[in-house]
Amino acid sequence: MGYFCPALSKAVKTMKKGEKVLLTVKPQYGFGEQGRPASEVEAAVPPNSTLHIDLELVSWKTITLIGDDKRILKKVLKEGEGYERPNDGAVVRVRLIGKLDDGTVFTKKGHEGDEPFEFKTDEEQVIEGLDTTVLTMKKGEVASARIPPEHAFGSTETKLDIAMVPPNSTVFYEVDLVSFEKEKESWDLKSNAENIEAAAKKKDEGNAWFKMGKYAKASKRYEKAAKYIEYDSSFSEDEKKQSKAVKISIKLNNAACKLKLKDYKEAEKLCAKVLELESTNVKALYRRAQAYTELVDLELAELDIKKALEIDPDNREVKVAYKALKDKLREYNKRDAKFYGNMFAKWRKTENAAGKQNAQPMAIDSTA
């Protein structure tokens, strides 16, 4: 469009669907002093020409870059209904076609009389890029997505229902979101008991992902679990007791995830929240000490380890961690001693050199 007339791309941004306008375009916003040569289908535009253009905005397609790294290109082919979109854990039903760069169809689902393809989002039931795309769509929306290999099938050759996807392939999907059912949020549940049950269930999902080594996914489950029981002012005493136990477990497990993900500050915060609920929790002290160690706050790490051993002197994990911490403290003390020793030696050398330079020979009175 910019080649046809640079002013058009500016004009259409101000228009509504179905709007018709007459544009008068001055040379500096058209083709300027150079004009434009004739082509097979279009006449030449002389230099310094003012243009008069009848323009109608028939339709447009929204193109966006989505995903955390903005590497997935999504184009809306048909607008959907309302404002709701699927959330993590939603059950979605779609019609889709997957193609390679050369147009080869490798998968086709929900077409030619088949039932829509159903899957649960954020459960690795489909490639990450397809998951990401569907989470941005509305019911009834049709969209295309260009998905790079790192969000598709990666560096391995993959057999799909119609054709093989070669390694490192960028793939193209056309997706029609037929319907979806969102996973219930805490405010959707009717009773405190339901919220406590939902938190425990989501925690178990997190545990399953943790065992598979999927720490980021596990952490998301623990964070969702925590939201179900975040506000407990309306809970009975018995419900508060139940939710407290679940809260402690969720935060400890999430802290373990954050340690694995090297997010040590967040791990420290989660352990601190556990210790607010239960000041003698050995796991919280131990994991916070691990976080402090990685953050090179060794004195605080030692305080937590010592307190944990006071509470549970026979805890093998904590004893091993204390030995490792003492070794690290010795290493840092040696390093500090060497650093300050060298610094002091350099300072003394500089002082001595300055003293020699400033020293004056004793004056002799020639009249004596």
Side-chain angles (χ1 to χ4, degrees):
M1 184 176 283
Y3 173 76
F4 177 69
C5 174
L8 287 189
S9 59
K10 297 179 185 294
V12 295
K13 291 177 182 177
T14 69
M15 296 174 66
K16 300 174 188 174
K17 185 176 178 181
E19 185 177 346
K20 296 179 183 179
V21 297
L22 174 61
L23 297 180
T24 300
V25 183
K26 292 181 179 180
Q28 63 266 37
Y29 301 112
F31 296 103
E33 296 177 356
Q34 288 75 35
R36 192 189 66 182
S39 68
E40 290 180 9
V41 294
E42 294 173 337
V45 177
N48 298 309
S49 295
T50 295
L51 308 176
H52 301 280
I53 302 172
D54 286 311
L55 181 64
E56 179 181 357
L57 181 55
V58 177
S59 65
W60 69 85
K61 301 286 185 282
T62 304
I63 297 176
T64 50
L65 291 168
I66 59 173
D68 291 340
D69 59 0
K70 305 297 182 189
R71 295 290 313 281
I72 300 164
L73 189 146
K74 178 197 170 191
K75 182 190 292 184
V76 177
L77 304 178
K78 178 190 165 190
E79 289 290 340
E81 308 167 11
Y83 300 97
E84 289 282 305
R85 291 178 172 85
N87 58 354
D88 287 340
V91 175
V92 301
R93 284 167 286 279
V94 301
R95 295 188 185 94
L96 61 83
I97 299 173
K99 296 179 183 179
L100 300 176
D101 201 15
D102 63 4
T104 301
V105 175
F106 59 81
T107 188
K108 190 173 185 179
K109 295 181 184 294
H111 290 274
E112 298 169 0
D114 290 342
E115 286 293 310
F117 174 55
E118 182 176 291
F119 67 93
K120 194 173 184 180
T121 60
D122 200 37
E123 289 287 337
E124 294 191 355
Q125 294 177 4
V126 296
I127 59 169
E128 181 191 350
L130 183 55
D131 235 353
T132 301
T133 301
V134 168
L135 288 169
T136 68
M137 296 175 69
K138 296 180 276 192
K139 181 182 176 181
E141 181 179 327
V142 181
S144 66
R146 185 188 72 195
I147 305 171
E150 61 269 29
H151 299 302
F153 299 98
S155 58
T156 57
E157 187 176 58
T158 308
K159 177 73 174 76
L160 273 294
D161 47 298
I162 296 177
M164 193 77 74
V165 177
N168 300 310
S169 292
T170 293
V171 295
F172 301 82
Y173 277 87
E174 185 172 304
V175 187
D176 177 359
L177 180 55
V178 178
S179 63
F180 63 88
E181 291 163 17
K182 294 179 78 168
E183 181 173 72
K184 288 183 177 180
E185 305 288 355
S186 57
W187 53 84
D188 296 319
L189 301 177
K190 295 176 181 177
S191 69
N192 298 336
E194 281 183 289
N195 274 293
I196 294 168
E197 185 182 345
K201 184 181 175 183
K202 193 56 68 173
K203 183 199 79 170
D204 291 341
E205 288 179 22
N207 293 350
W209 285 111
F210 189 92
K211 285 174 185 174
M212 289 188 280
K214 306 275 186 175
Y215 305 119
K217 283 192 176 292
S219 181
K220 279 176 74 174
R221 277 23 177 220
Y222 295 136
E223 285 164 10
K224 181 78 179 276
K227 286 178 182 176
Y228 285 115
I229 49 176
E230 187 174 6
Y231 304 107
D232 58 3
S233 57
S234 66
F235 286 20
S236 67
E237 286 306 310
D238 187 49
E239 287 169 340
K240 282 182 180 179
K241 188 177 177 181
Q242 289 179 57
S243 73
K244 180 182 174 181
V246 177
K247 271 183 190 177
I248 287 170
S249 180
I250 287 167
K251 292 184 191 303
L252 283 173
N253 292 357
N254 200 10
C257 287
K258 298 301 184 184
L259 288 170
K260 293 284 188 183
L261 295 167
K262 303 189 188 307
D263 188 351
Y264 304 118
K265 287 187 177 180
E266 194 58 33
E268 181 270 321
K269 287 178 187 175
L270 286 161
C271 292
K273 287 176 182 177
V274 172
L275 292 165
E276 286 173 14
L277 295 168
E278 189 176 82
S279 62
T280 58
N281 191 289
V282 171
K283 277 188 180 178
L285 289 164
Y286 168 58
R287 286 179 188 164
R288 190 168 71 171
Q290 287 179 297
Y292 280 142
T293 301
E294 295 296 340
L295 293 167
V296 200
D297 204 335
L298 302 184
E299 289 181 4
L300 287 176
E302 188 175 27
L303 285 173
D304 276 352
I305 286 284
K306 283 181 174 178
K307 187 172 180 182
L309 285 172
E310 284 174 16
I311 298 162
D312 186 1
D314 299 321
N315 190 304
R316 187 176 175 279
E317 270 188 314
V318 179
K319 285 201 279 191
V320 169
Y322 192 27
K323 183 181 181 304
L325 178 62
K326 284 194 284 189
D327 290 342
K328 189 160 277 197
L329 279 165
R330 275 194 293 271
E331 180 190 328
Y332 271 87
N333 288 337
K334 279 182 188 176
R335 197 182 299 171
D336 286 351
K338 186 177 180 182
F339 173 76
Y340 288 113
N342 289 340
M343 190 169 70
F344 184 70
K346 284 179 185 176
W347 174 76
R348 287 293 301 271
K349 191 175 179 181
T350 305
E351 284 289 301
N352 290 338
K356 286 178 183 178
Q357 189 175 353
N358 294 332
Q360 299 292 329
M362 187 178 290
I364 298 173
D365 188 351
S366 58
T367 59

